Amino acid sequence: MAPRRKKTSSRLVSLDAFRGLTVMFMILVNNPGDWGHIYKPLEHAEWNGCTLADLVFPFFLFIVGVSTVFALETKKQTQADHGQLMLKILRRAAIIFGLGLFMALYWYWDFHTVRIPGVLQRIALVYLLCGLIYVKTDYRIQAALFILILIGYYLLMTRVQVPGYGQASLQPETNLGAWLDRLLFTPAHLWNQSRTWDPEGLLGTLPAMSTTLLGILTGTWLKRKEMIEGTKVGAMLLAGIVLAGAGWWWNASFPINKALWTSSYVLFTGGIALIVFSLFYFFVDVLGYKKWTTPLVVYGVNAITVYVASGLLARTLNKVQISFQGEDMSLGSALYKVFFQNFLSPINASLAWAIAFVLAWMIILWIMYKRRIIVKI
């Protein structure tokens, strides 16, 4: 029997499922019932290191890269369509960036202290730059850029002196990226838990591009029609293992660090993303086991929508004040106390609230999915 060659389609169920799993986990991590009681794998590493929570953002940027290929590859082949394609990329990036600013402004509406960097803002910038690179270059240049960015960022962060501090530093307030953010944004527009540095700072967007370029290279690999599926999957798994191992090795001299988005972090998390996606692709799109993916797909096809809506709802629940049992508290605190805190240990109540938050949104998204409501940006 001849090896199977799968006809590539414009949409991968495995990619939607992987995106859905990533966004579900993102919402779970972002919405504990009590920030003082969180299981360690669901907390971000305090500085260096990598937890399960630290895999979410690079997974999403990797997915952005794969999606870019499947969305733009056909029109990329026609030179005359490039101008329209680049305008489309610019428009989508502007919308995503605008949604990020809206989330930062929501409820407070204070333009003088609004945080300018953010998760959606970084996604927008990375998508814009990598989308344009994808349209105007081939995979050889993209692979070269992937490597050059990682090396260049390593040299910037470990060799370039930081104005006002002297020698290069990888500490929160004294690294080159933190200095640049304070120079460009002023402290009032940075992360409100520090005001001296930002985990989604501007310089860190550079290595984040490498995460998305890895996704673009993966998508291009999947699009190769002459390649049998077993070879594709095997190569992706091997590449994922090698990249994750290289990131772990580099950790000794350039620590794995999400806030800095270090080059070792790109390789380590990108390798894990490649391994997980390879398994999704093999079982879902090659072998055809798709039925189990529906709960993930309903999240995946409306990923940005649920991320924004869940963030706005969480802030609303936290800010709406009510009087409950003789105390003034937020609506979210009252619901948490009634349905979870009174019945479970603090850490399990916190997790149960987060899970309930994810499941509540799944119901809404399932209704949207059944009615074929997909909000496209």
Side-chain angles (χ1 to χ4, degrees), residues 53-366:
D54 294 320
L55 296 176
V56 174
F57 200 178
F59 275 22
F60 196 87
L61 287 182
F62 172 85
I63 292 166
V64 168
V66 180
S67 302
T68 297
V69 176
F70 278 79
L72 305 181
E73 190 235 9
T74 302
K75 285 190 175 182
K76 174 187 174 177
Q77 295 174 3
T78 306
Q79 185 73 26
D81 290 336
H82 282 194
Q84 182 182 2
L85 209 52
M86 290 189 288
L87 284 175
K88 181 180 179 181
I89 292 169
L90 178 60
R91 173 184 170 276
R92 188 163 189 255
I95 292 173
I96 295 172
F97 195 95
L99 286 172
L101 286 181
F102 178 78
M103 290 183 71
L105 281 165
Y106 178 68
W107 199 270
Y108 304 105
W109 310 114
D110 187 350
F111 286 88
H112 295 95
T113 60
V114 63
R115 182 189 177 200
I116 295 176
V119 171
L120 288 181
Q121 293 90 316
R122 173 166 286 182
I123 292 172
L125 290 175
V126 168
Y127 171 72
L128 172 63
L129 296 171
C130 289
L132 296 177
I133 289 170
Y134 173 69
V135 171
K136 302 306 292 185
T137 66
D138 64 14
Y139 74 92
R140 297 176 187 85
I141 294 176
Q142 293 154 18
L145 285 172
F146 170 79
I147 296 169
L148 288 173
I149 288 172
L150 294 182
I151 296 173
Y153 186 66
Y154 165 73
L155 294 175
L156 278 174
M157 296 299 289
T158 61
R159 298 291 185 271
V160 176
Q161 290 194 345
V162 182
Y165 294 96
Q167 65 182 11
S169 168
L170 296 178
Q171 295 306 307
E173 297 183 1
T174 58
N175 68 80
L176 188 63
W179 169 81
L180 182 63
D181 288 336
R182 291 193 297 271
L183 178 69
L184 296 178
F185 299 122
T186 72
H189 294 294
L190 297 178
W191 189 42
N192 62 12
Q193 293 186 40
S194 71
R195 298 298 188 188
T196 56
W197 62 278
D198 198 291
E200 276 77 49
L202 186 60
L203 191 59
T205 301
L206 188 64
M209 288 173 59
S210 281
T211 301
T212 297
L213 285 172
L214 179 61
I216 287 175
L217 292 169
T218 301
T220 302
W221 175 254
L222 288 177
K223 280 286 189 176
R224 295 185 62 172
K225 296 178 181 179
E226 76 281 3
M227 192 75 66
I228 61 174
E229 296 305 306
T231 301
K232 287 182 182 179
V233 174
M236 288 193 296
L237 282 171
L238 179 59
I241 293 169
V242 170
L243 289 174
W248 188 254
W249 170 81
W250 206 350
N251 174 61
S253 57
F254 196 26
I256 292 171
N257 186 298
K258 175 186 178 294
L260 295 177
W261 212 281
T262 53
S263 303
S264 57
Y265 176 74
V266 172
L267 294 178
F268 183 70
T269 58
I272 295 174
L274 194 49
I275 292 168
V276 175
F277 175 61
S278 298
L279 296 175
F280 266 72
Y281 177 73
F282 180 68
F283 286 106
V284 177
D285 283 302
V286 177
L287 297 183
Y289 298 123
K290 298 182 179 181
K291 290 184 179 179
W292 67 274
T293 64
T294 303
L296 304 180
V297 171
V298 300
Y299 258 90
V301 297
N302 274 306
I304 296 292
T305 301
V306 69
Y307 177 77
V308 173
S310 65
L312 297 179
L313 176 60
R315 183 166 294 179
T316 301
L317 290 174
N318 186 49
K319 293 301 177 182
V320 171
Q321 297 293 307
I322 63 171
S323 179
F324 179 73
Q325 296 180 344
E327 293 183 65
D328 291 333
M329 63 178 66
S330 69
L331 176 58
S333 296
L335 293 172
Y336 177 58
K337 185 173 183 178
V338 170
F339 293 106
F340 300 97
Q341 199 171 30
N342 289 338
F343 304 101
L344 298 167
S345 66
I347 196 165
N348 287 327
S350 182
L351 177 60
W353 170 273
I355 292 172
F357 205 75
V358 170
L359 293 177
W361 278 108
M362 183 176 289
I363 294 171
I364 297 170
L365 293 169
W366 207 302

Side-chain angles (χ1 to χ4, degrees), residues 40-61:
K40 287 296 182 182
L42 302 182
E43 282 190 284
H44 292 294
E46 188 173 343
W47 189 241
N48 295 332
C50 185
T51 68
L52 283 176
D54 294 320
L55 296 176
V56 174
F57 200 178
F59 275 22
F60 196 87
L61 287 182

